[in-house]
């Protein structure tokens, strides 16, 4: 875990399926009241996915300062991949979230990524914005969603590896199962919330190995 500011607590969990993985995230401080978070999940596993994440990181790094809103950033990121890497068939899902403490709002945009969650007044709300994964269609428009983000609010960002695990009986946890786990810990601070989710997902899996890389990042606007 690390602190970007006095106001925001961050807790992260990253667990690649093998030594290298296809999940990548970037947490960037734009100024003292504005933070930008990027989380991506490259298709495939292992070395190929890990090489893809190196390209994703390099391309995102060039653009992360340039655009006011996450949907604009995704528009140009997608076009860069269409123009430069189309022959490599590089595809990935991702989300970009801007936390603006001055306005007490978050701005959210998504490219084919699963629904993410914000916990506000101990209610779990989904963060969903329409847009296809990066690398498929040129000039793709991405939706921008905003939500209030007040002291006490928490954001959970994750890749689909978190809920795609199977129990020993062969039953998939799924997004419904994940919501039930989050609901159990939603009143706690971000660290026990993240640890509780990870431990319960592991308990669900029991002796099975993870099917995919698992990344879970939590943000809490401290009261």
């Amino acid at each position: 875990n690390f602190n970007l500011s006095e106001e925001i607590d961050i807790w992260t969990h990253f667990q690649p399926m093998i030594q290298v993985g296809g999940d990548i995230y970037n947490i960037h401080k734009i100024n003292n009241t504005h933070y930008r978070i990027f989380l991506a999940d490259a298709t495939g596993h292992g070395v190929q996915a890990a090489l893809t994440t190196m390209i994703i990181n390099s391309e995102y790094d060039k653009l992360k300062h340039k655009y006011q809103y996450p949907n604009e950033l995704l528009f140009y990121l997608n076009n860069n991949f269409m123009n430069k890497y189309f022959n490599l068939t590089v595809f990935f899902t991702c989300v970009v979230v801007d936390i603006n403490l001055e306005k007490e709002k978050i701005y959210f945009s998504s490219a084919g990524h699963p629904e993410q969650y914000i916990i506000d007044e101990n209610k779990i709300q989904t963060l969903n914005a329409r847009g296809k994964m990066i690398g498929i269609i040129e000039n793709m428009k991405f939706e921008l969603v905003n939500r209030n983000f007040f002291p006490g609010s928490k954001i959970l960002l994750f890749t689909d590896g978190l809920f795609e695990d199977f129990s020993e009986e062969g039953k998939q946890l799924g997004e419904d199962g994940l919501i039930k786990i989050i609901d159990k810990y939603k009143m706690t601070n971000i660290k026990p919330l993240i640890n509780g989710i990870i431990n319960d997902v592991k308990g669900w899996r029991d002796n099975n190995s993870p099917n995919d890389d698992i990344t879970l990042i939590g943000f809490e606007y401290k009261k």
Side-chain angles (χ1 to χ4, degrees):
N1 79 310
F2 49 92
N3 281 335
L4 277 177
S5 74
E6 298 283 311
E7 296 99 335
I8 303 280
D9 258 351
I10 304 167
W11 206 261
T12 61
H13 175 92
F14 173 63
Q15 182 182 350
M17 192 173 82
I18 54 175
Q19 278 85 353
V20 290
D23 288 359
I24 185 171
Y25 64 88
N26 182 293
I27 301 170
H28 171 59
K29 184 174 182 174
I30 294 172
N31 59 45
N32 284 335
T33 58
H34 193 172
Y35 307 93
R36 176 162 282 168
I37 302 99
F38 173 71
L39 172 61
D41 181 358
T43 55
H45 300 297
V47 175
Q48 189 191 348
L51 290 171
T52 302
T53 61
M54 289 167 69
I55 300 170
I56 294 168
N57 192 46
S58 162
E59 291 299 324
Y60 175 73
D61 222 43
K62 293 171 197 167
L63 300 178
K64 68 183 180 187
H65 312 275
K66 286 188 176 180
Y67 302 103
Q68 187 178 357
Y69 292 112
N71 60 325
E72 295 173 283
L73 197 161
L74 289 184
F75 177 86
Y76 290 102
L77 183 66
N78 179 58
N79 277 359
N80 279 6
F81 271 85
M82 292 300 299
N83 294 326
K84 291 185 186 177
Y85 306 107
F86 188 70
N87 293 335
L88 291 179
T89 58
V90 171
F91 307 120
F92 61 96
T93 72
C94 64
V95 291
V96 179
V97 181
D98 282 7
I99 298 176
N100 188 322
L101 296 180
E102 196 178 0
K103 293 183 178 172
E104 294 198 321
K105 280 197 175 296
I106 62 165
Y107 298 86
F108 176 89
S109 208
S110 171
H113 208 73
E115 288 183 340
Q116 310 286 280
Y117 301 117
I118 180 167
I119 301 167
D120 195 22
E121 293 178 341
N122 297 315
K123 290 192 195 79
I124 304 166
Q125 300 175 47
T126 55
L127 287 170
N128 191 15
R130 287 184 296 274
K132 290 191 169 25
M133 67 164 60
I134 301 287
I136 294 180
I137 301 169
E138 199 169 5
N139 296 325
M140 175 76 194
K141 291 283 195 328
F142 296 91
E143 190 180 8
L144 182 71
V145 167
N146 70 71
R147 292 270 189 281
N148 291 330
F149 189 60
F150 298 130
S153 298
K154 295 176 279 254
I155 303 168
L156 294 173
L157 304 178
F158 49 88
T159 53
D160 60 11
L162 185 65
F163 59 82
E164 287 188 340
D165 275 337
F166 287 88
S167 68
E168 288 197 318
E169 295 79 46
K171 193 178 170 202
Q172 193 176 50
L173 179 64
E175 287 168 282
D176 290 345
L178 179 60
I179 281 270
K180 284 180 185 152
I181 291 172
I182 294 168
D183 195 56
K184 193 168 144 186
Y185 298 105
K186 69 183 179 187
M187 310 282 277
T188 64
N189 291 337
I190 203 68
K191 180 184 173 183
L193 173 60
I194 296 288
N195 289 340
I197 294 167
I198 292 301
N199 288 335
D200 280 23
V201 168
K202 202 171 165 186
W204 171 270
R205 211 168 50 231
D206 205 9
N207 291 318
N208 287 347
S209 298
N211 284 317
D212 198 355
D213 308 315
I214 296 172
T215 304
L216 173 60
I217 311 171
F219 300 86
E220 180 175 7
Y221 189 175
K222 289 189 279 193
K223 287 183 177 171

